[in-house]
């Protein structure tokens, strides 16, 4: 009974998505011109080559920002329940912080935080 229901749900989902995509393709207006293929930013036409490489430092900086942003997200629930966790919770969060601090020290040593 459950397997049959699962198969019916999967087939229904595939059919509905296929129908929706087909109707959208048939109904949507199409226009092909060169301007649609150009890079667009802030209403200003691009000058030069649109596909340029960025320095890896930008990506490293962004990853470090995300890492410490996620750290803050994990610290809020811990801070709310710190009294219920006891010494075990304190040791766990200290271990978590040591790993993050080692990651920050490594990035600092490699020069990922220097803006050149």
């Amino acid at each position: 009974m459950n397997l049959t229901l699962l198969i019916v749900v999967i087939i229904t989902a595939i059919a509905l998505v296929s129908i929706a995509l087909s109707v959208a393709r048939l109904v949507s207006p199409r226009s092909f011109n060169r301007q649609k293929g150009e890079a667009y930013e802030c209403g200003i036409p691009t000058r030069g080559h649109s596909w340029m490489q960025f320095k890896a430092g930008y990506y490293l900086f962004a990853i470090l920002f995300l890492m410490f942003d996620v750290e803050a997200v994990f610290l809020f629930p811990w801070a709310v329940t710190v009294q219920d966790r006891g010494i075990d919770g304190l040791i766990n969060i200290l271990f978590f912080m040591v790993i993050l601090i080692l990651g920050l020290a490594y990035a600092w040593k490699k020069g990922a935080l220097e803006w050149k």
Side-chain angles (χ1 to χ4, degrees):
M1 175 81 176
N2 288 337
L3 183 61
T4 307
L5 182 62
L6 179 66
I7 292 172
V8 168
V9 168
I10 290 173
I11 290 173
T12 305
I14 291 171
L16 288 175
V17 169
S18 300
I19 291 170
L21 290 175
S22 299
V23 168
R25 182 170 288 201
L26 290 173
V27 175
S28 65
R30 289 183 215 131
S31 66
F32 300 101
N33 56 24
R34 287 186 56 209
Q35 191 173 14
K36 283 179 71 174
E38 292 181 9
Y40 178 81
E41 183 159 343
C42 301
I44 301 170
T46 58
R47 287 180 277 157
H49 191 57
S50 298
W51 293 95
M52 64 173 142
Q53 294 181 346
F54 291 99
K55 293 191 320 186
Y58 297 125
Y59 298 110
L60 290 174
F61 201 82
I63 288 172
L64 286 171
F65 172 76
L66 287 174
M67 182 177 76
F68 288 103
D69 194 36
V70 169
E71 170 199 356
V73 168
F74 281 131
L75 285 177
F76 282 119
W78 175 82
V80 170
T81 62
V82 69
Q83 290 180 346
D84 300 335
R85 301 281 176 199
I87 194 73
D88 188 42
L90 180 64
I91 292 171
N92 286 337
I93 204 67
L94 287 176
F95 182 69
F96 178 68
M97 294 296 290
V98 164
I99 290 173
L100 287 170
I101 289 170
L102 288 175
L104 177 63
Y106 177 77
W108 198 337
K109 182 180 177 185
K110 289 292 185 177
L113 301 176
E114 294 179 13
W115 218 225
K116 295 179 184 176

